[in-house]
Every structure is written in structure tokens, then in C-alpha cells.
Amino acid sequence: MSQCTLAVFQHHPAEGVGRIAVWAQHHNIKLVCFYAPEDLPKSLANFHGLIVLGGPINVADNPLWMQAEAELITQALILQRPILAICLGAQLLAAKLGGQVIEMPAPELGWQDITFNDGSVLTVPQWHEQAITLPQHIAVLASSGQCPVQMYRHQHVIGLQFHPEWDAKQIEQLAEFFADECPITTGPHTQQHQTQLNQFLFELLDAQFV
């Protein structure tokens, strides 16, 4: 069997795959990163799945490159490729599934708790000013006090409004690039959160792509 290859859409130099790279290396999975807007593939037919990362732009802005990316997401849906979409990616995916992206009364920033449907709680890094609404037939799996859709699943796709891929190194890169604007901290006080994020994301990626 050929090596599993996943396409990754990245939207900002400081928002990379983070700990997803560790997971991929462990499973001998190849990640092929495309940096939007300059570099998008013409087709996803030769990829086994798609990961869409976050970025500091709004879905409503809808530049030409985002329209092209949205069409590739539609292509992945038609091809029934598994998708993991994070933050901006989750918003783009939600729009393709019939949902909407709306302004929040206040941004959700820093380490925040989300609650899953079974009552379990995970502390996650957040950095977004918009929220997702979804059609009733799409399952919402987690929420927070500020944002009712933190995780959703529909058939072979998953959307996450938070950032489980942001390990300590990734957060340091964000802090270096955005300086005082970055609301995410790192250090010994976040070690337990990072351990739990690691377990959560690796189990999710295993179920989605392996």
C-alpha cells in the first residue's frame, strides 16, 4: 500500500502544523503543505485527506484565493476525503456545509475551557473573534461559554474552532511574530494542558486518517 499523503492548507507563516508533524512522522504519513494564497493545488485527487489550518483573516473577506480554497474543500467533500479543519479552516468548512460565520460579542482569547457532550472538559488555546452556526443535522460535539460550536463532525469531516495543534514551540513562534498581540502563553503552568492536548489530537488524528 502506498504511503498516506495529506494535503495541508496553511494561511500564515507563524501558524504551522505544530504537533501534527510529530503525529505524521510517527505514522509515516507525508504532509504536503500548501501556503495560501500563493500556492494551492489544482486537485486533491492524489491526496488521502486534507487538513485546513487557521489564519488571521475572515471568511467574509472572501478574496479570490479563498474562493479557490473553498472550491478545493468542496472537491474534498465530493471525493469523500477525510478533512480536519481548524479555526479559520473550520469556518470555511462550515460555510460549505450550509453553516454561517458570525461576529462574537467579544473575542475568545487565551487558554479557555471547552466542554464535550459527555461532560468532560479540555483547556485549549483560543484566538478568534467569530463563531460558527450550523444546520441542525450536523453534530456539535463540544462548546464553550462564549462559543456554542467548538467541535463538530459531519460524515467524514471534523471542524475545530480551537487550536490543539499549537504545542509550546508553535506558541513561541506566534509570540515572536505577533508580540504583545498574542494572547497565548506558554511555560510550566501550561504543561498539563499541552499533555492533554497532545493526547486529544493524536487520538483524533488516528481516528480520522489512520
Side-chain angles (χ1 to χ4, degrees):
M1 183 177 179
S2 61
Q3 182 185 34
C4 178
T5 304
L6 304 179
V8 179
F9 294 168
Q10 182 175 345
H11 306 101
H12 191 277
E15 286 199 57
V17 293
R19 58 168 45 92
I20 296 173
V22 178
W23 167 84
Q25 184 177 23
H26 178 74
H27 288 285
N28 192 31
I29 289 173
K30 183 179 180 181
L31 301 177
V32 180
C33 291
F34 297 93
Y35 185 72
E38 294 89 358
D39 181 31
L40 286 171
K42 288 184 169 38
S43 170
L44 294 173
N46 293 326
F47 294 94
H48 297 87
L50 172 64
I51 296 173
V52 188
L53 300 175
I57 188 170
N58 296 329
V59 171
D61 296 337
N62 201 30
L64 287 175
W65 66 262
M66 186 177 285
Q67 295 172 39
E69 184 170 323
E71 288 307 309
L72 286 165
I73 292 173
T74 297
Q75 185 184 123
L77 291 169
I78 292 170
L79 292 169
Q80 297 188 344
R81 297 293 194 266
I83 301 173
L84 176 64
I86 298 172
C87 201
L88 171 62
Q91 295 171 0
L92 287 165
L93 176 60
K96 283 298 179 181
L97 295 174
Q100 293 183 315
V101 180
I102 60 173
E103 290 291 330
M104 299 173 63
E108 193 171 33
L109 305 172
W111 290 96
Q112 304 286 339
D113 289 346
I114 64 169
T115 303
F116 295 92
N117 291 349
D118 63 2
S120 62
V121 176
L122 184 66
T123 304
V124 301
Q126 301 272 18
W127 193 354
H128 64 105
E129 300 177 355
Q130 296 182 314
I132 293 166
T133 65
L134 292 167
Q136 290 187 349
H137 69 277
I138 296 180
V140 177
L141 305 183
S143 62
S144 68
Q146 287 183 255
C147 187
V149 180
Q150 289 286 349
M151 178 177 180
Y152 64 88
R153 181 193 297 273
H154 179 63
Q155 297 177 358
H156 53 285
V157 306
I158 293 174
L160 305 175
Q161 185 58 75
F162 56 99
H163 287 276
E165 81 281 15
W166 284 359
D167 56 13
K169 182 178 179 180
Q170 177 68 82
I171 292 172
E172 288 171 0
Q173 290 175 351
L174 289 164
E176 181 178 352
F177 191 95
F178 291 100
D180 293 341
E181 294 180 31
C182 180
I184 316 295
T185 57
T186 187
H189 64 292
T190 66
Q191 185 173 351
Q192 182 178 358
H193 301 331
Q194 290 286 11
T195 299
Q196 293 171 344
L197 275 179
N198 200 73
Q199 180 178 353
F200 165 80
L201 182 60
F202 282 21
E203 290 177 357
L204 181 67
L205 290 166
D206 284 351
Q208 190 71 346
F209 296 113
V210 177

